[in-house]
Amino acid sequence: MGSMSDSLKINLTILPEEGLRLTFSKDAAWFKECFSEDDRPEFSLVKADVNCLITRSGDTIYVRGELAASISQDCDRCLEKTTIPIGGDFAYTLVPEKTEIAEELELTADELETSHYRGDFIDLAPMICEQIVLQVPMKILCAGDCKGLCPHCGKNLNTGSCNCRSDVVDDRLAVLKKFRVKN
């Protein structure tokens, strides 16, 4: 991840006893700044709305919230640009970063679900960017019944049919047509 905007840094020294409720929206330009040129995801963010509550218990900080966003990417079947909604709930537990570093330290299950913060600030930007990336589905479709492209001529079958015959067999597989199993 690249440089982050300072706007989502929370000063823990002035965190109210009852917690801090934050509601904000972020756009494509902000999301782009979260990543270096080489690490940018294939999709682009259209808009992200976040509602979260930051609470504290001793040195442990809890961040719980909801993400509602929309992203834009080419459909995986027909290659047309499509925008889909994504979102979900998220929760982070943050503890102060330990100063000593043990290289062979084995992490417990609880430690794997815990993040760290340093000093008196936590930055929500990496958490929100991470949540956006985690909420993106493996396959992005413009519609559940997208017909995709014709494998022969490349025509978008959502806009009409083509004249390609469906019984055309790839030459490399033609020999299998003669294959018979004898019982």
Side-chain angles (χ1 to χ4, degrees):
M1 300 227 174
S3 66
M4 294 285 175
S5 164
D6 287 342
S7 64
L8 292 179
K9 287 195 174 171
I10 308 299
N11 186 343
L12 298 174
T13 60
I14 56 170
L15 193 65
E17 189 77 27
E18 69 277 8
L20 177 65
R21 166 89 40 202
L22 289 175
T23 303
F24 54 89
S25 295
K26 291 295 177 184
D27 60 8
W30 169 82
F31 187 66
K32 246 178 151 177
E33 287 178 23
C34 293
F35 299 92
S36 65
E37 190 79 35
D38 299 334
D39 293 338
R40 288 207 179 115
E42 289 181 18
F43 64 89
S44 57
L45 179 75
V46 177
K47 185 181 179 195
D49 295 318
V50 178
N51 181 1
C52 65
L53 177 66
I54 303 162
T55 55
R56 169 180 221 148
S57 174
D59 282 341
T60 306
I61 307 296
Y62 300 96
V63 181
R64 297 184 195 292
E66 304 154 295
L67 167 73
S70 54
I71 60 162
S72 178
Q73 184 181 325
D74 295 340
C75 173
D76 286 339
R77 284 191 194 150
C78 70
L79 305 179
E80 293 292 323
K81 189 67 107 184
T82 187
T83 300
I84 62 165
I86 60 168
D89 294 340
F90 62 89
Y92 286 87
T93 302
L94 298 105
V95 295
E97 192 173 69
K98 292 174 185 159
T99 50
E100 72 274 7
I101 297 168
E103 288 191 17
E104 297 294 322
L105 187 67
E106 193 169 319
L107 296 174
T108 64
D110 285 345
E111 288 172 327
L112 288 173
E113 296 175 3
T114 304
S115 300
H116 298 277
Y117 68 93
R118 186 183 304 167
D120 293 329
F121 291 88
I122 60 168
D123 190 355
L124 294 180
M127 295 179 219
I128 303 305
C129 286
E130 180 179 74
Q131 285 304 310
I132 291 168
V133 171
L134 289 173
Q135 296 294 332
V136 174
M138 294 291 287
K139 185 172 224 131
I140 293 179
L141 300 176
C142 61
D145 60 348
C146 175
K147 295 174 184 167
L149 303 176
C150 172
H152 304 291
C153 68
K155 179 176 175 62
N156 184 343
L157 299 174
N158 295 314
T159 60
S161 59
C162 60
N163 294 323
C164 296
R165 291 177 30 209
S166 61
D167 62 343
V168 173
V169 177
D170 187 324
D171 290 342
R172 296 170 292 181
L173 302 175
V175 69
L176 295 175
K177 212 169 185 180
K178 299 173 192 165
F179 182 75
R180 303 236 190 268
V181 177
K182 293 178 185 171
N183 290 334

